[in-house]
Amino acid sequence: MIDFLQNTIDGVMTGASYALLALGFTLIFGVMRRLNLSYGPSIMVGAYLGTLAHLHLAAGPLGVAAVTVAGAVLAGLYVERLCFAPMAAGAGIAAMVSSFAIWMQLEQAAILVLPRHTYPFPPLASATAWLGPFLLRLDQLIMLASALVLALGVQALLYGTRFGLALRAIIGNPTAAHLVGIDVRRATVLAFALASAVGGVAGFLVLASDAQVTPMFGMWATMKGLIAMMIGGLGSIPGALVGGLLLGVVEAQSQWYLGPQLRDLAAYVLLFACLVWRPGGLFGAAPVRDLARGRSL
Amino acid sequence: MLDVADLVTAYGKIEALKGVSLRVESGRITCLLGPNGAGKTTLMMTIAGILQPRRGTVRLDGQELTGLTPARIVAQGVALVPENRLVFPQMSVHENLLAGAYQRRGRGEIASDVERMYARFPRLQERRAQLAGTLSGGEQQMLAVARALMSRPRVLLMDEPSLGLAPLVVAEIFRIVGELNRDGTTIFLVEQNAHMALQVAHHFYLMEQGRVTFSGTPGELAEDEVVQRAYLGARRAAG
Ligand SMILES: Nc1ncnc2c1ncn2[C@@H]1O[C@H](COP(=O)(O)OP(=O)(O)O)[C@@H](O)[C@H]1O
Ligand SMILES: [Mg+2]
């Protein structure tokens, strides 16, 4: 029982990072109805810039965090400009394929600049504490708090501000959003920047807790964010949070009880079960509803 | 007021508008008739800036609209009630109206305009907190009209507002169109329901295969043999 609860705690902590990754993913998907496979790699670019600042400028955790987030935003805007802005409405597949190509490009660029496989990343806080029989890590608590605060913040932005109204209008019907006078292009770019910043925070927290970064981080972030988003429901913010936490807990339990080899398999089984049971994800609308919304233009 | 000159809009290689010229007079209801596929929606979307024309111009009181973004065109005073209404389904009725005032500042004025919309469309007031996607077709149409009016347009474009609605609801929509016009709104209306349109519109255009093939008053329209056979006669026989 103690093991099960400790696994659950560990899973929630790891899941918080998945939730943050899914949050950025879901923002982009909600607004654009397009999958950005380069989401993780653009976060990795930010992380590599953070590492460079750490290695050459001796930047501390906060400085590295700022560089990582700023780098992720810049790389995200680069991806948007190349893969999403030029694509005509309805060219979602072309956008996704080109975001895959940019993924490869960003990964190679990172390897050119920092050719070793691993580089150190400054840890944020390595303190641990016992809560009764349970072990808690401070950096993971920060991760969980960040996930909750950012999810609430994004939700408040969407439902409490004029910019949020614009984003929800675009999510509801892009043509109608144009027709009420929303600058759809500008709002979309801002949403992309916001999503990249959330991803940058996620990336920084994960890497600070690992204390190292590798070029594989991009793929890892895309995979975890994508799976968590699909479990929770494409475009749903509560879904991103719940999907991320659920994925983390299932991984932690299966790692403990089934072994590390079966951990990833368990994640895919979870995803598969969710999609069979609720094809739109736990919090998502059934996909057919989107067809009825008249998105042809 | 609104001048369309030699407008050509194409989807790929296919020209849906093949040089359309027409004029919407200030303070009036101008109606565009035409069969399915004639290019009416394409014209509306081009005026609103959603589609870019290959050639030709759209002017509002002499000011060029061609090439502006849809948002800038709204700012110039043109609002389109699109075909199929396109309300924001996951937003409440109230939020849809606020979205309609997206470019305006001044919360007080916006709030009083919202109240004015509720006075004109009491059904919307009853359902102000309801998600727009759950409204009936007629209610969604009224919401789409009210949302467009929230930008305080100088010209209101309406693309087949009666599409798919029951006869009583259609009559209600046309009553509102007439009322809005009497209150001073210039209206450019696309319709297939020629009988209803004849009761409210001051000027008619007929469009077929991307070209304007008729322009005239309601009297001239009713007398035109081709129009009569194609629209009025067919409608009478059908309904
Ligand atoms: N998105 C589109 N892509 C390609 N062709 C289109 C598109 N929309 C309309 N068309 C074509 O353009 C022509 C005019 O269509 P439309 O403007 O919708 O006519 P109407 O509104 O008068 O029924 C039709 O032949 C139609 O098939
Ligand atoms: Mg049409």
Side-chain angles (χ1 to χ4, degrees):
Chain A
M1 191 59 195
I2 298 270
D3 286 344
F4 182 82
L5 290 177
Q6 179 72 56
N7 292 338
T8 304
I9 290 172
D10 294 345
V12 164
M13 301 295 175
T14 318
S17 66
Y18 301 163
L20 276 175
L21 291 168
L23 185 62
F25 235 125
T26 220
L27 257 176
I28 295 175
F29 185 84
V31 172
M32 298 194 150
R33 298 279 132 176
R34 286 170 182 189
L35 278 183
N36 174 20
L37 294 178
S38 257
Y39 177 61
S42 52
I43 300 170
M44 182 212 43
V45 168
Y48 263 61
L49 292 175
T51 294
L52 277 177
H54 180 55
L55 291 177
H56 297 299
L57 307 172
L62 281 183
V64 171
V67 172
T68 301
V69 170
V73 169
L74 285 180
L77 291 176
Y78 171 74
V79 171
E80 198 280 337
R81 187 75 200 84
L82 243 60
C83 307
F84 295 91
M87 296 294 172
I93 300 291
M96 188 177 79
V97 170
S98 61
S99 77
F100 184 73
I102 298 300
W103 168 346
M104 296 300 131
Q105 188 205 48
L106 294 178
E107 215 167 84
Q108 290 308 315
I111 292 171
L112 273 179
V113 177
L114 292 171
R116 285 207 327 257
H117 187 65
T118 58
Y119 283 88
F121 205 82
L124 183 59
S126 50
T128 54
W130 290 96
L131 186 76
F134 304 118
L135 182 66
L136 297 177
R137 282 179 56 176
L138 180 60
D139 54 359
Q140 293 194 329
L141 282 174
I142 293 174
M143 196 140 76
L144 181 61
S146 306
L148 292 175
V149 166
L150 283 177
L152 284 174
V154 169
Q155 193 84 354
L157 180 83
L158 279 177
Y159 287 88
T161 68
R162 187 165 172 271
F163 175 57
L165 185 72
L167 289 186
R168 285 188 297 132
I170 298 169
I171 291 168
N173 192 303
T175 302
H178 278 295
L179 291 176
V180 297
I182 292 166
D183 187 339
V184 173
R185 171 87 193 116
R186 184 171 156 273
T188 303
V189 170
L190 286 175
F192 220 96
L194 176 66
S196 303
V198 171
V201 172
F204 169 77
L205 292 171
V206 170
L207 294 170
S209 121
D210 291 352
Q212 62 172 28
V213 58
T214 77
M216 301 304 286
F217 178 73
M219 181 172 85
W220 180 88
T222 288
M223 290 304 290
K224 296 301 181 189
L226 193 56
I227 295 174
M229 170 176 78
M230 281 160 63
I231 291 171
L234 302 170
S236 161
I237 288 165
L241 204 56
V242 172
L245 297 182
L246 190 62
L247 178 63
V249 171
V250 167
E251 279 189 2
Q253 300 293 3
S254 51
Q255 167 140 353
W256 182 264
Y257 291 108
L258 306 173
Q261 298 88 347
L262 289 182
R263 190 191 67 173
D264 286 342
L265 186 64
Y268 293 122
V269 169
L270 170 69
L271 174 63
F272 183 72
C274 277
L275 292 185
V276 169
W277 178 49
R278 283 190 63 105
L282 296 178
F283 289 75
V288 278
R289 287 208 41 169
D290 282 311
L291 297 177
R293 284 187 199 170
R295 297 193 150 268
S296 58
L297 263 163
Chain B
M1 174 173 225
L2 187 70
D3 276 291
V4 174
D6 194 28
L7 211 57
V8 175
T9 303
Y11 299 101
K13 283 205 170 101
I14 302 158
E15 290 187 350
L17 302 183
K18 298 170 181 149
V20 170
S21 301
L22 50 76
R23 186 183 177 92
V24 174
E25 297 288 351
S26 175
R28 308 203 135 196
I29 300 180
T30 304
C31 178
L32 178 65
L33 294 171
N36 271 332
K40 306 181 298 295
T41 297
T42 305
L43 174 63
M44 291 300 202
M45 290 297 201
T46 308
I47 295 173
I50 303 279
L51 298 173
Q52 291 301 318
R54 287 260 161 97
R55 205 175 72 209
T57 57
V58 179
R59 288 200 164 82
L60 183 69
D61 288 334
Q63 173 137 14
E64 178 102 32
L65 299 183
T66 338
L68 297 187
T69 63
R72 296 297 308 278
I73 291 173
V74 172
Q76 293 296 316
V78 178
L80 168 62
V81 182
E83 189 176 56
N84 296 317
R85 333 189 208 295
L86 309 189
V87 296
F88 300 117
Q90 306 283 21
M91 284 190 203
S92 69
V93 166
H94 197 76
E95 286 179 316
N96 267 271
L97 295 180
L98 293 182
Y102 186 75
Q103 293 198 345
R104 291 174 51 193
R105 305 283 162 173
R107 280 162 184 268
E109 269 191 27
I110 292 174
S112 66
D113 273 9
V114 167
E115 292 311 316
R116 213 165 296 147
M117 291 306 149
Y118 286 148
R120 197 186 283 280
F121 305 96
R123 299 281 292 192
L124 297 184
Q125 175 148 40
E126 287 167 32
R127 298 174 189 281
R128 58 191 295 162
Q130 200 171 316
L131 292 186
T134 66
L135 299 178
S136 74
E139 289 162 352
Q140 289 194 11
Q141 187 62 59
M142 303 205 182
L143 179 57
V145 173
R147 183 182 67 184
L149 289 172
M150 283 301 296
S151 70
R152 292 207 171 164
R154 291 197 278 159
V155 189
L156 182 67
L157 313 181
M158 305 175 85
D159 193 350
E160 294 207 46
S162 67
L163 193 70
L165 300 182
L168 270 179
V169 184
V170 172
E172 169 77 1
I173 298 280
F174 273 90
R175 189 186 61 72
I176 290 164
V177 169
E179 213 174 271
L180 288 172
N181 178 246
R182 275 192 295 283
D183 293 351
T185 313
T186 303
I187 293 175
F188 184 29
L189 174 72
V190 164
E191 257 309 324
Q192 294 208 37
N193 190 335
H195 277 291
M196 288 305 288
L198 268 171
Q199 295 176 17
V200 295
H202 304 105
H203 194 92
F204 281 90
Y205 289 97
L206 178 61
M207 193 167 168
E208 289 167 304
Q209 296 178 18
R211 291 196 170 84
V212 173
T213 55
F214 171 91
S215 164
T217 62
E220 289 163 349
L221 180 85
E223 275 163 26
D224 190 280
E225 242 178 62
V226 180
V227 175
Q228 223 172 24
R229 220 175 317 121
Y231 292 90
L232 303 169
R235 285 275 165 176
R236 214 167 279 158

